[in-house]
Amino acid sequence: MNKTDEGFSSIEFLLALVFLSVFALAAGYMVKAAGLTASRSGKAADTRAQIEKVLDEAAADLKADRTPLSDSKFDAFWQWNGRTEGGCSVTLRSLSSSLNPNFLRNGIYEKTELRTLFLSGKNAQQFLQYREDNGLVFTAADCKDFFSEKTYDTYFSPYGWANINTTDEFAVRMFVTALTGSESDGEMFRQKVRTLLSDKQILQTEEEFKMFCGISYDKVYPYINTEPVMNVHFVEPVVLKSILSYPDYNLAGAVQKAKTLLALRESRELTEEDIMNVLGIDKTNRLYYFFGTITWFWQIEVRNGTAVCDEIVCRMPPQDMNSQAPAEWYVVEKKWK
């Protein structure tokens, strides 16, 4: 893949055509399918030039992480959050540590504290029906009948890879249909996910997922994969506690274990092994696929006076079962305000 000087990749053809058409364009965003340095020569304004400089410096810390299998508040990159540099203020958000409004299964809303996120008179079943009638949702405006804008901005983000072990079967159908252009493929995946659930099966590796997908694998990967979806270092406490407490997962002492993880993440950077040890689980437990230590999508907001730039960058899941391979980063979206 074509690398920029900063070590970020420009968006490859498939990513631009498929991922962005499903997510960013559906959200009505102006998409920049280019690396960090592309088109910068045309920005003559000093304020924009300074913002670009800050983005470069923050990106350098992101790609130079000495612990690439764990993203936390102890990394050099996170030190940019709330920082002022060269007249610019920086805000970071771990987007994929939020709930994806399309992918969470209804039962988790209905049987946990997450049901209180809905507006009065609204519930998860109504939300599912809304998606069935109108398609996948991408913005606070899409969800305004179900969540307040503040609730959406705090707890939800449409940016994130879908994990085959945790994603709602009806969302899988719609997502696969969009990725493959085939309604029959979408329905086939929904039925196969339903079988996994009824048989209480977990797909633990990308190789297992590849066999599960068959000839559709190249069309749905990496958008659907087997990586843990949320970074435990940044997930909202009520989300962590609620999912761990979901009765169907039968996690003993769930609330206390959530408190332990929340305390530990304030004292040091956690590993996947730390999470499994605290929860008392292994990769055969569905909870493993909810909470990991990697942030797949970051939002970097840089302000300089009235100029604001929002940049969304994503990390590709590791390929060929090689988690030690260098991280591949892409610029998904860039908006100037």
Side-chain angles (χ1 to χ4, degrees):
M1 296 186 182
N2 184 28
K3 303 289 185 181
T4 68
D5 291 339
E6 291 81 15
F8 276 42
S9 300
S10 59
I11 296 180
E12 64 181 356
F13 184 72
L14 179 62
L15 191 65
L17 287 183
V18 180
F19 183 81
L20 295 181
S21 65
V22 173
F23 284 98
L25 292 181
Y29 292 138
M30 176 61 71
V31 176
K32 299 291 186 180
L36 288 180
T37 58
S39 301
R40 285 183 180 171
S41 60
K43 295 182 172 64
D46 289 342
T47 54
R48 287 201 171 195
Q50 187 59 42
I51 286 175
E52 299 281 12
K53 182 175 182 292
V54 170
L55 283 169
D56 284 348
E57 293 172 353
D61 281 338
L62 179 58
K63 75 180 184 64
D65 185 3
R66 295 182 179 180
T67 56
L69 298 183
S70 188
D71 301 315
S72 74
K73 296 178 180 179
F74 297 94
D75 288 331
F77 175 63
W78 185 255
Q79 305 315 306
W80 285 92
N81 187 47
R83 179 170 166 180
T84 300
E85 182 78 18
C88 299
S89 60
V90 182
T91 304
L92 305 179
R93 184 183 174 194
S94 174
L95 293 176
S96 52
S97 299
S98 302
L99 295 168
N100 190 302
N102 297 297
F103 296 157
L104 194 66
R105 290 173 181 149
N106 277 12
I108 299 179
Y109 286 118
E110 294 168 344
K111 298 180 182 180
T112 72
E113 193 175 344
L114 294 182
R115 62 181 176 273
T116 64
L117 299 182
F118 286 94
L119 292 171
S120 178
K122 299 296 182 178
N123 58 49
Q125 188 58 43
Q126 292 170 325
F127 189 43
L128 172 63
Q129 188 59 53
Y130 177 83
R131 293 202 313 266
E132 283 290 293
D133 294 340
N134 298 279
L136 301 176
V137 297
F138 301 95
T139 67
D142 293 335
C143 302
K144 62 182 176 61
D145 292 334
F146 298 93
F147 309 106
S148 71
E149 185 174 357
K150 180 179 179 181
T151 295
Y152 182 90
D153 290 343
T154 300
Y155 296 103
F156 294 94
S157 168
Y159 292 97
W161 307 122
N163 184 289
I164 192 65
N165 298 304
T166 65
T167 301
D168 175 76
E169 63 183 280
F170 298 101
V172 165
R173 181 181 64 192
M174 299 178 73
F175 197 21
V176 170
T177 297
L179 291 170
T180 65
S182 168
E183 291 185 2
S184 61
D185 282 354
E187 178 57 24
M188 177 189 69
F189 265 76
R190 187 197 71 79
Q191 293 177 6
K192 293 174 75 171
V193 169
R194 168 51 51 186
T195 299
L196 287 179
L197 289 170
S198 62
D199 293 345
K200 298 183 178 180
Q201 287 184 278
I202 299 288
L203 300 182
Q204 298 183 40
T205 68
E206 214 55 52
E207 189 61 33
E208 290 177 345
F209 180 57
K210 189 172 186 177
M211 294 177 63
F212 173 87
C213 293
I215 61 174
S216 299
Y217 177 77
D218 289 339
K219 294 181 179 179
V220 303
Y221 181 87
Y223 319 109
I224 307 174
N225 56 58
T226 59
E227 297 292 335
V229 293
M230 290 186 278
N231 186 344
V232 75
H233 293 100
F234 298 103
V235 66
E236 289 289 332
V238 67
V239 173
L240 178 65
K241 184 178 72 172
S242 294
I243 294 177
L244 294 183
S245 300
Y246 181 47
D248 290 15
Y249 293 154
N250 298 311
L251 183 68
V255 173
Q256 183 55 51
K257 289 176 178 178
K259 290 179 179 178
T260 298
L261 286 174
L262 292 171
L264 283 175
R265 77 180 188 180
E266 295 302 317
S267 62
R268 62 181 175 85
E269 188 169 73
L270 304 179
T271 65
E272 283 191 359
E273 289 72 23
D274 289 328
I275 298 172
M276 289 190 287
N277 289 337
V278 169
L279 299 183
I281 64 173
D282 58 23
K283 293 184 179 182
T284 65
N285 191 301
R286 206 171 299 277
L287 287 170
Y288 170 85
Y289 302 92
F290 276 103
F291 302 113
T293 57
I294 292 175
T295 290
W296 303 106
F297 288 77
W298 286 102
Q299 178 184 25
I300 310 172
E301 180 190 90
V302 182
R303 293 177 175 267
N304 188 337
T306 58
V308 183
C309 184
D310 268 342
E311 189 163 81
I312 310 297
V313 296
C314 79
R315 177 176 176 173
M316 295 290 283
Q319 294 182 331
D320 302 322
M321 309 300 293
N322 183 11
S323 61
Q324 300 301 319
E328 294 184 68
W329 290 96
Y330 296 82
V331 178
V332 172
E333 174 196 337
K334 191 170 185 177
K335 294 190 298 181
W336 287 91
K337 301 177 182 178

